[in-house]
Amino acid sequence: VGNYKRTVKRIDDGHRLCNDLMNCIHERARIEKVYAQQLTEWAKRWKQLVEKGPQYGTVERAWCAFMSEAEKVSELHLEVKGSLMNEDFEKIKNWQKEAFHKQMMGGFKETKEAEDGFRKAQKPWAKKLKEVEAAKKAYHAACKEEKLAISRETNSKADPALNPEQLKKLQDKVERSKQDVLKTKEKYEKSLKELDNATPQYMENMEQVFEQCQQFEEKRLRFFREVLLEVQKHLDLSNVASYKNIYRELEQNIKTADAVEDLRWFRANQGPGMSMNWPQFEEWSADLNRTLSRREKKKASDGVTLTGINQTGDQVSQPNKHSSSLSVQSNTVQSVQSSYNPFEDEEDTGSTVSEKEDNKIKNVSSYEKNQTYPTDWSDEESNNPFSSTDANGDTNPFDEDTPPAMEVRVRALYDYEGQEQDELSFKAGDELTKIENEDEQGWCKGRLDNGQVGLYPANYVEPIQ
């Protein structure tokens, strides 16, 4: 009696298991979304880096094919996320709502119906069981009383002080006890027989309610199996035709990479096959051939002087003509730094791995694909980059100049990055020595504290008072 509780509790467990399955699918959908976003960020960042890098031709297209693959796979994983949430999650939610009905007083209607069904089916048999227990208790009490009466009678016979009348009472007590034992035994056996007769009907009624609970649980189990199969289909991309096409296309793009074709293209566009501009005889013209000094050219160039200005004092690096690393544009760097961290809003709000690797990602190559190279050349030893002289501007290009007549200490107002080897580089707040006054183009000659001498814009400094 009462052991049907586990079957009734299974109904409440079924409702909770629906919630567990929905949470399980929801977490997987979130993982799919994060993975898709990370693929997209990765593809965007590396596509920009490869396009700006030195790789060219068919191998470049093969490399970029990996980024296209990532973008397409990202779309597929977003579709997986949509299927899990819009189809599987909603299906479980709706089935749970239809299968379990909440009551005003709490609990579920199905749980109460099962509880009432078992209690109703058990009630008649439980009543007879209670009668059997009472009859058994009465019979056992009569047996105990009979044994006690017989013991008293036996002890009284050995007592000579006991008169015959008292002995007669004890004998009558024994007789009555035997009669009570017979009556209670008969009643006990009768109630037990009635209970045995009621047991088949009781089993039938209880099993009928139990089967109803089994059918309800069977619906849940079959539904779970059906949903899990659908989830498997949504997660399994191996049978998706578009997924196979992505890697078939990727393989084709890689196989189309042709070293011979790329070398032929480079020869035609960057090597001996490119269009030549051989020197030809040119008539002198006063207007077209007016000779400009190096400083006049510098002044006429577009934005050279102003690009180094930084009012906040933060140095802004400018791409050097002989730069040894690829300088990624600001929007590219920004996309790298803002790389999506799926755990930032949940666990860790500190620095991410992608931020720590920014410096590694910014410099991916020895030069830019469209980088321009200087056309000026000289056979003088001072301009030979392969000579033993340091080419980083540590030498003094003005050794042959006339010594300055006056030196003045000045302080830099802005950051400036030297555009050529004979120009100084400094940051706002740095002090240096002016050794030659401003010329008509607005340039001064100065010397840094480390001994390096070079030109700098006159309006970038102020005298130290």
PDB file of all heavy atoms in Angstrom, residues 351-368:
ATOM      1  N   SER A 351      41.473  40.575 -20.260  1.00  0.00           N
ATOM      2  CA  SER A 351      42.040  40.564 -21.601  1.00  0.00           C
ATOM      3  C   SER A 351      41.865  39.205 -22.223  1.00  0.00           C
ATOM      4  O   SER A 351      41.960  38.185 -21.563  1.00  0.00           O
ATOM      5  CB  SER A 351      43.522  40.930 -21.534  1.00  0.00           C
ATOM      6  OG  SER A 351      44.215  39.975 -20.756  1.00  0.00           O
ATOM      7  N   THR A 352      41.573  39.200 -23.520  1.00  0.00           N
ATOM      8  CA  THR A 352      41.348  37.963 -24.239  1.00  0.00           C
ATOM      9  C   THR A 352      42.604  37.523 -24.939  1.00  0.00           C
ATOM     10  O   THR A 352      43.567  38.266 -25.067  1.00  0.00           O
ATOM     11  CB  THR A 352      40.231  38.155 -25.283  1.00  0.00           C
ATOM     12  OG1 THR A 352      40.679  39.133 -26.220  1.00  0.00           O
ATOM     13  CG2 THR A 352      38.945  38.620 -24.623  1.00  0.00           C
ATOM     14  N   VAL A 353      42.584  36.282 -25.422  1.00  0.00           N
ATOM     15  CA  VAL A 353      43.747  35.734 -26.119  1.00  0.00           C
ATOM     16  C   VAL A 353      44.003  36.487 -27.406  1.00  0.00           C
ATOM     17  O   VAL A 353      45.141  36.772 -27.772  1.00  0.00           O
ATOM     18  CB  VAL A 353      43.521  34.237 -26.409  1.00  0.00           C
ATOM     19  CG1 VAL A 353      44.675  33.683 -27.228  1.00  0.00           C
ATOM     20  CG2 VAL A 353      43.381  33.475 -25.103  1.00  0.00           C
ATOM     21  N   SER A 354      42.900  36.851 -28.094  1.00  0.00           N
ATOM     22  CA  SER A 354      43.078  37.547 -29.367  1.00  0.00           C
ATOM     23  C   SER A 354      43.738  38.897 -29.170  1.00  0.00           C
ATOM     24  O   SER A 354      44.518  39.348 -30.001  1.00  0.00           O
ATOM     25  CB  SER A 354      41.722  37.710 -30.065  1.00  0.00           C
ATOM     26  OG  SER A 354      40.867  38.479 -29.261  1.00  0.00           O
ATOM     27  N   GLU A 355      43.427  39.569 -28.039  1.00  0.00           N
ATOM     28  CA  GLU A 355      44.067  40.851 -27.778  1.00  0.00           C
ATOM     29  C   GLU A 355      45.546  40.668 -27.503  1.00  0.00           C
ATOM     30  O   GLU A 355      46.371  41.491 -27.884  1.00  0.00           O
ATOM     31  CB  GLU A 355      43.386  41.522 -26.585  1.00  0.00           C
ATOM     32  CG  GLU A 355      41.960  41.985 -26.891  1.00  0.00           C
ATOM     33  CD  GLU A 355      41.261  42.493 -25.651  1.00  0.00           C
ATOM     34  OE1 GLU A 355      41.794  42.261 -24.549  1.00  0.00           O
ATOM     35  OE2 GLU A 355      40.207  43.106 -25.787  1.00  0.00           O
ATOM     36  N   LYS A 356      45.910  39.570 -26.830  1.00  0.00           N
ATOM     37  CA  LYS A 356      47.314  39.329 -26.531  1.00  0.00           C
ATOM     38  C   LYS A 356      48.098  39.007 -27.779  1.00  0.00           C
ATOM     39  O   LYS A 356      49.314  39.166 -27.809  1.00  0.00           O
ATOM     40  CB  LYS A 356      47.433  38.179 -25.529  1.00  0.00           C
ATOM     41  CG  LYS A 356      46.828  38.502 -24.160  1.00  0.00           C
ATOM     42  CD  LYS A 356      46.900  37.303 -23.243  1.00  0.00           C
ATOM     43  CE  LYS A 356      46.266  37.623 -21.886  1.00  0.00           C
ATOM     44  NZ  LYS A 356      46.286  36.456 -20.997  1.00  0.00           N
ATOM     45  N   GLU A 357      47.418  38.513 -28.815  1.00  0.00           N
ATOM     46  CA  GLU A 357      48.112  38.125 -30.029  1.00  0.00           C
ATOM     47  C   GLU A 357      48.050  39.198 -31.104  1.00  0.00           C
ATOM     48  O   GLU A 357      48.436  38.960 -32.245  1.00  0.00           O
ATOM     49  CB  GLU A 357      47.515  36.825 -30.566  1.00  0.00           C
ATOM     50  CG  GLU A 357      47.741  35.648 -29.628  1.00  0.00           C
ATOM     51  CD  GLU A 357      47.160  34.376 -30.196  1.00  0.00           C
ATOM     52  OE1 GLU A 357      46.475  34.477 -31.224  1.00  0.00           O
ATOM     53  OE2 GLU A 357      47.398  33.306 -29.634  1.00  0.00           O
ATOM     54  N   ASP A 358      47.550  40.396 -30.745  1.00  0.00           N
ATOM     55  CA  ASP A 358      47.428  41.465 -31.747  1.00  0.00           C
ATOM     56  C   ASP A 358      48.767  41.776 -32.397  1.00  0.00           C
ATOM     57  O   ASP A 358      48.869  41.939 -33.608  1.00  0.00           O
ATOM     58  CB  ASP A 358      46.873  42.739 -31.085  1.00  0.00           C
ATOM     59  CG  ASP A 358      45.353  42.672 -30.980  1.00  0.00           C
ATOM     60  OD1 ASP A 358      44.787  41.743 -31.579  1.00  0.00           O
ATOM     61  OD2 ASP A 358      44.772  43.525 -30.320  1.00  0.00           O
ATOM     62  N   ASN A 359      49.794  41.884 -31.534  1.00  0.00           N
ATOM     63  CA  ASN A 359      51.097  42.278 -32.078  1.00  0.00           C
ATOM     64  C   ASN A 359      51.638  41.245 -33.041  1.00  0.00           C
ATOM     65  O   ASN A 359      52.356  41.568 -33.982  1.00  0.00           O
ATOM     66  CB  ASN A 359      52.086  42.479 -30.926  1.00  0.00           C
ATOM     67  CG  ASN A 359      51.705  43.663 -30.061  1.00  0.00           C
ATOM     68  OD1 ASN A 359      51.070  44.590 -30.562  1.00  0.00           O
ATOM     69  ND2 ASN A 359      52.065  43.619 -28.789  1.00  0.00           N
ATOM     70  N   LYS A 360      51.295  39.974 -32.812  1.00  0.00           N
ATOM     71  CA  LYS A 360      51.749  38.938 -33.728  1.00  0.00           C
ATOM     72  C   LYS A 360      51.021  39.028 -35.055  1.00  0.00           C
ATOM     73  O   LYS A 360      51.571  38.764 -36.109  1.00  0.00           O
ATOM     74  CB  LYS A 360      51.527  37.556 -33.117  1.00  0.00           C
ATOM     75  CG  LYS A 360      52.316  37.325 -31.834  1.00  0.00           C
ATOM     76  CD  LYS A 360      52.046  35.931 -31.299  1.00  0.00           C
ATOM     77  CE  LYS A 360      52.806  35.682 -29.998  1.00  0.00           C
ATOM     78  NZ  LYS A 360      52.519  34.333 -29.476  1.00  0.00           N
ATOM     79  N   ILE A 361      49.744  39.396 -35.007  1.00  0.00           N
ATOM     80  CA  ILE A 361      48.931  39.392 -36.224  1.00  0.00           C
ATOM     81  C   ILE A 361      49.194  40.623 -37.075  1.00  0.00           C
ATOM     82  O   ILE A 361      49.093  40.583 -38.295  1.00  0.00           O
ATOM     83  CB  ILE A 361      47.440  39.305 -35.841  1.00  0.00           C
ATOM     84  CG1 ILE A 361      47.179  38.002 -35.082  1.00  0.00           C
ATOM     85  CG2 ILE A 361      46.546  39.384 -37.054  1.00  0.00           C
ATOM     86  CD1 ILE A 361      45.759  37.877 -34.572  1.00  0.00           C
ATOM     87  N   LYS A 362      49.555  41.729 -36.439  1.00  0.00           N
ATOM     88  CA  LYS A 362      49.747  42.964 -37.209  1.00  0.00           C
ATOM     89  C   LYS A 362      50.881  42.812 -38.211  1.00  0.00           C
ATOM     90  O   LYS A 362      50.803  43.314 -39.317  1.00  0.00           O
ATOM     91  CB  LYS A 362      50.032  44.123 -36.250  1.00  0.00           C
ATOM     92  CG  LYS A 362      48.820  44.539 -35.421  1.00  0.00           C
ATOM     93  CD  LYS A 362      49.198  45.622 -34.452  1.00  0.00           C
ATOM     94  CE  LYS A 362      48.043  45.977 -33.541  1.00  0.00           C
ATOM     95  NZ  LYS A 362      48.424  46.966 -32.537  1.00  0.00           N
ATOM     96  N   ASN A 363      51.948  42.143 -37.818  1.00  0.00           N
ATOM     97  CA  ASN A 363      53.105  42.005 -38.688  1.00  0.00           C
ATOM     98  C   ASN A 363      53.137  40.598 -39.247  1.00  0.00           C
ATOM     99  O   ASN A 363      53.534  39.665 -38.569  1.00  0.00           O
ATOM    100  CB  ASN A 363      54.385  42.291 -37.900  1.00  0.00           C
ATOM    101  CG  ASN A 363      54.377  43.703 -37.342  1.00  0.00           C
ATOM    102  OD1 ASN A 363      53.863  44.605 -37.990  1.00  0.00           O
ATOM    103  ND2 ASN A 363      54.918  43.871 -36.154  1.00  0.00           N
ATOM    104  N   VAL A 364      52.672  40.443 -40.476  1.00  0.00           N
ATOM    105  CA  VAL A 364      52.572  39.109 -41.055  1.00  0.00           C
ATOM    106  C   VAL A 364      53.484  38.933 -42.255  1.00  0.00           C
ATOM    107  O   VAL A 364      53.554  37.859 -42.809  1.00  0.00           O
ATOM    108  CB  VAL A 364      51.122  38.819 -41.485  1.00  0.00           C
ATOM    109  CG1 VAL A 364      50.200  38.855 -40.296  1.00  0.00           C
ATOM    110  CG2 VAL A 364      50.653  39.831 -42.533  1.00  0.00           C
ATOM    111  N   SER A 365      54.175  39.983 -42.672  1.00  0.00           N
ATOM    112  CA  SER A 365      54.937  39.864 -43.905  1.00  0.00           C
ATOM    113  C   SER A 365      56.070  40.863 -43.921  1.00  0.00           C
ATOM    114  O   SER A 365      56.143  41.776 -43.110  1.00  0.00           O
ATOM    115  CB  SER A 365      53.998  40.090 -45.096  1.00  0.00           C
ATOM    116  OG  SER A 365      54.717  40.200 -46.282  1.00  0.00           O
ATOM    117  N   SER A 366      56.963  40.670 -44.869  1.00  0.00           N
ATOM    118  CA  SER A 366      58.122  41.553 -44.945  1.00  0.00           C
ATOM    119  C   SER A 366      57.828  42.835 -45.702  1.00  0.00           C
ATOM    120  O   SER A 366      58.559  43.792 -45.588  1.00  0.00           O
ATOM    121  CB  SER A 366      59.274  40.800 -45.614  1.00  0.00           C
ATOM    122  OG  SER A 366      58.877  40.379 -46.916  1.00  0.00           O
ATOM    123  N   TYR A 367      56.786  42.873 -46.465  1.00  0.00           N
ATOM    124  CA  TYR A 367      56.437  44.096 -47.187  1.00  0.00           C
ATOM    125  C   TYR A 367      55.009  43.994 -47.706  1.00  0.00           C
ATOM    126  O   TYR A 367      54.421  42.934 -47.776  1.00  0.00           O
ATOM    127  CB  TYR A 367      57.388  44.338 -48.362  1.00  0.00           C
ATOM    128  CG  TYR A 367      57.368  43.224 -49.399  1.00  0.00           C
ATOM    129  CD1 TYR A 367      56.518  43.288 -50.492  1.00  0.00           C
ATOM    130  CD2 TYR A 367      58.209  42.126 -49.268  1.00  0.00           C
ATOM    131  CE1 TYR A 367      56.495  42.270 -51.436  1.00  0.00           C
ATOM    132  CE2 TYR A 367      58.189  41.106 -50.204  1.00  0.00           C
ATOM    133  CZ  TYR A 367      57.334  41.187 -51.292  1.00  0.00           C
ATOM    134  OH  TYR A 367      57.306  40.190 -52.212  1.00  0.00           O
ATOM    135  N   GLU A 368      54.442  45.157 -48.060  1.00  0.00           N
ATOM    136  CA  GLU A 368      53.096  45.173 -48.606  1.00  0.00           C
ATOM    137  C   GLU A 368      53.120  44.850 -50.084  1.00  0.00           C
ATOM    138  O   GLU A 368      54.092  45.099 -50.785  1.00  0.00           O
ATOM    139  CB  GLU A 368      52.462  46.557 -48.399  1.00  0.00           C
ATOM    140  CG  GLU A 368      52.153  46.866 -46.953  1.00  0.00           C
ATOM    141  CD  GLU A 368      51.363  48.143 -46.820  1.00  0.00           C
ATOM    142  OE1 GLU A 368      50.835  48.604 -47.852  1.00  0.00           O
ATOM    143  OE2 GLU A 368      51.259  48.660 -45.705  1.00  0.00           O
TER     144      GLU A 368
END
